Amino acid sequence: MDCIVINGGKSLKGEVSVSGSKNAALPIIVATLLANGNHKISGVPNLRDINTLAKLLTHLGAEIQFNENMEVNTHNINVFDAPYELVRTMRASFLVIGPLVARFGKARVSLPGGCAIGVRPVDIHIKSLEAMGVNIDIEQGYVTASCDELKGAHIYLDMPTVGGTENIIMTACLAKGTTVIENAAREPEIIDLVGALRTMGAQITGEGTGTIKIEGVLKLNPLNYAVIPDRIEAGTFMVAAGITGGDIFINNCPIKYMGATIDKLRETGIVIEEENGLVHVLSSGKINCVEVTTKPYPGFPTDMQAQMMALLSLADGTSIIRETIFENRFIHVAELDRLGASIKVEHDTAIIGGVKKLKGATVMATDLRASASLILSGLVAEGKTTVLRVYHLDRGYDCLEEKLKLLGADIYRTSENNL
Ligand code: UD1
């Protein structure tokens, strides 16, 4: 297994470019199932989650080529089940259920099961499909969906689930009549999915607001689309500059979708300015304490919570982070504390007593964003930090350690056997 070794203490400098968004690319790749033909998607990041989805689509009969762009040929979709091995490792695989039942009238998809950051049910996806006329059977960990005629529906979401909103939008594109989603998720990745669906001929309005309206059409065409840059990767670089007292320029930064993240980072004292199409991030290394609550977009993203905690562990004073999206997303706390942080958790709240410095240690990544927080802490910790189980990091970051190295970090990847 790979691990990442960091010798901390280097202040980051230079320019870095953000890759395409993982969370935008995943549903857009799934959307290819809605139409027969050759689809082209550019800006797809090279990540483990993307490769897992490519494996799933190949299993369904798609032919995929992934070099600089991704090409998906869906002429020969002839399998309609998504097995546990593929859904278990990535919850977004569950998104195939809607498009499969919409285009082929049937699907059998494994329930995702639990994951490190919480229970994460799919009850809202299922309830919404039922509202559109889909028959659902749940047996032995699999959801079997079938449908003779898919019909539009008025759907109110108990919570603005991102995946749920995406699943309903894709399904409704081929349903008879109008679907209205109320309390829909407003994430930029949903706006991007709708942009991609429009290139296929879908009739959708209201994306980016809480009410989305979809007029079903009889048939969609192959898509041709470029995904937006990754706002979480961009935010991670901002924290990397902030925590190391760095001075970096970020290229391809989706600043218009990063309001809450940028506001909070500015409150900590980091200077973030747009300059000639780049985003300049400058930090003196002195960090103010702040209070943060994760919320659905446009609130502060849960996917930036662990990175923010790494930064605040070195703040002047006590910071508070409240996690309202996932019930168990503080597993990184124990590992950050091993690096010298002083963090206590009470229910959904982390109380972070700022310390003067962190000290390198061997730590273990437990989920995707937790791994990023450990790497960020390692950049500034005194001495050597070794982050084990970085396969979590590879799920969602495209060459993170190589990009950090270009910014001057002393960081490298090796096998745990070489330690
Ligand atoms: C997506 C993102 C993930 C991000 C999350 C929240 C992708 C591939 N992943 O995940 O990175 O952290 O949004 O911004 O885009 N819920 C239910 N029932 C459901 C569906 C969700 O109770 O049927 C709950 C979940 O358990 C969770 C909350 O709703 O507590 C939000 O989940 P959701 O928005 O669905 O997240 P994902 O789409 O899985």
Side-chain angles (χ1 to χ4, degrees):
M1 241 185 279
D2 280 0
C3 63
I4 286 181
V5 180
I6 310 152
N7 291 304
K10 297 268 195 295
S11 188
L12 300 191
K13 289 198 171 40
E15 188 178 318
V16 68
S17 198
V18 177
S19 300
S21 160
K22 164 178 92 72
N23 288 354
L26 290 169
I28 291 172
I29 294 168
V30 170
T32 63
L33 293 171
L34 288 166
N36 192 0
N38 276 313
H39 306 259
K40 286 198 179 68
I41 313 168
S42 54
V44 178
N46 190 1
L47 312 169
R48 206 155 67 94
D49 274 7
I50 298 289
N51 291 321
T52 302
L53 184 62
K55 244 190 236 167
L56 173 56
L57 261 66
T58 306
H59 166 84
L60 301 177
E63 285 154 36
I64 299 190
Q65 289 193 341
F66 183 22
N67 299 315
E68 225 160 89
N69 297 322
M70 181 176 271
E71 294 192 16
V72 185
N73 183 321
T74 51
H75 279 304
N76 196 23
I77 302 294
N78 52 8
V79 171
F80 309 100
D81 80 294
Y84 180 57
E85 303 80 78
L86 292 171
V87 183
R88 170 176 67 99
T89 54
M90 188 186 60
R91 181 180 156 84
S93 305
F94 194 75
L95 288 177
V96 301
I97 193 165
L100 282 179
V101 82
R103 186 159 153 231
F104 302 100
K106 56 185 170 185
R108 185 170 176 269
V109 179
S110 166
L111 284 164
C115 72
I117 64 174
V119 178
R120 303 182 85 179
V122 284
D123 54 324
I124 302 174
H125 299 236
I126 290 173
K127 210 170 99 185
S128 308
L129 289 174
E130 283 178 328
M132 285 191 266
V134 177
N135 304 310
I136 299 277
D137 262 331
I138 302 178
E139 239 180 29
Q140 295 178 328
Y142 277 79
V143 182
T144 304
S146 62
C147 186
D148 294 330
E149 190 185 53
L150 203 59
K151 51 184 189 343
H154 199 109
I155 296 168
Y156 174 82
L157 301 183
D158 286 341
M159 60 174 84
T161 145
V162 176
T165 303
E166 292 165 345
N167 224 336
I168 303 166
I169 294 175
M170 289 191 279
T171 311
C173 283
L174 292 179
K176 194 171 175 195
T178 309
T179 298
V180 176
I181 313 171
E182 281 194 71
N183 198 28
R186 293 186 276 167
E187 267 66 6
E189 293 74 23
I190 290 184
I191 302 179
D192 215 35
L193 170 65
V194 170
L197 290 167
R198 277 208 189 97
T199 72
M200 304 173 82
Q203 304 284 320
I204 306 167
T205 53
E207 73 278 13
T209 76
T211 306
I212 300 177
K213 195 169 164 188
I214 306 113
E215 295 291 344
V217 296
L218 284 177
K219 186 172 166 278
L220 293 169
N221 305 309
L223 70 79
N224 189 346
Y225 199 71
V227 299
I228 48 170
D230 198 304
R231 62 193 168 105
I232 305 301
E233 188 193 350
T236 304
F237 287 127
M238 288 177 182
V239 173
I243 205 168
T244 62
D247 182 356
I248 69 166
F249 289 87
I250 307 180
N251 186 14
N252 202 29
C253 182
I255 194 163
K256 71 171 171 173
Y257 293 134
M258 296 181 67
T261 302
I262 290 175
D263 268 16
K264 270 303 155 197
L265 291 175
R266 283 183 176 145
E267 228 179 292
T268 70
I270 301 174
V271 177
I272 302 173
E273 299 297 349
E274 254 186 300
E275 281 174 28
N276 307 322
L278 300 175
V279 174
H280 187 189
V281 187
L282 183 65
S283 161
S284 65
K286 182 183 161 344
I287 297 148
N288 305 322
C289 54
V290 296
E291 290 195 14
V292 183
T293 301
T294 63
K295 294 214 178 102
Y297 189 85
F300 189 89
T302 175
D303 287 351
M304 276 302 297
Q305 182 255 103
Q307 300 91 313
M308 192 72 184
M309 193 180 290
L311 178 72
L312 296 177
S313 71
L314 286 159
D316 228 352
T318 302
S319 302
I320 306 283
I321 295 186
R322 212 174 137 237
E323 170 61 57
T324 70
I325 310 291
F326 294 113
E327 73 269 24
N328 191 24
R329 206 172 195 178
F330 284 141
I331 338 165
H332 42 283
V333 166
E335 299 299 305
L336 290 175
D337 281 353
R338 297 195 67 237
L339 293 170
S342 171
I343 309 168
K344 290 198 173 47
V345 175
E346 284 173 17
H347 309 290
D348 64 353
T349 303
I351 302 142
I352 306 140
V355 295
K356 291 262 175 295
K357 62 179 178 194
L358 299 175
K359 282 198 175 163
T362 298
V363 286
M364 194 181 290
T366 46
D367 73 56
L368 166 53
R369 306 302 168 186
S371 347
S373 76
L374 298 174
I375 301 241
L376 291 167
S377 299
L379 291 176
V380 71
E382 234 175 53
K384 182 164 123 180
T385 297
T386 305
V387 183
L388 306 177
R389 301 206 178 163
V390 287
Y391 56 85
H392 289 292
L393 187 81
D394 299 336
R395 283 192 49 199
Y397 285 94
D398 192 356
C399 309
L400 183 65
E401 79 275 13
E402 285 164 34
K403 290 183 182 184
L404 290 171
K405 190 184 258 170
L406 286 175
L407 291 172
D410 182 347
I411 183 169
Y412 62 93
R413 177 182 289 256
T414 183
S415 160
E416 282 181 18
N417 300 332
N418 296 336
L419 290 177

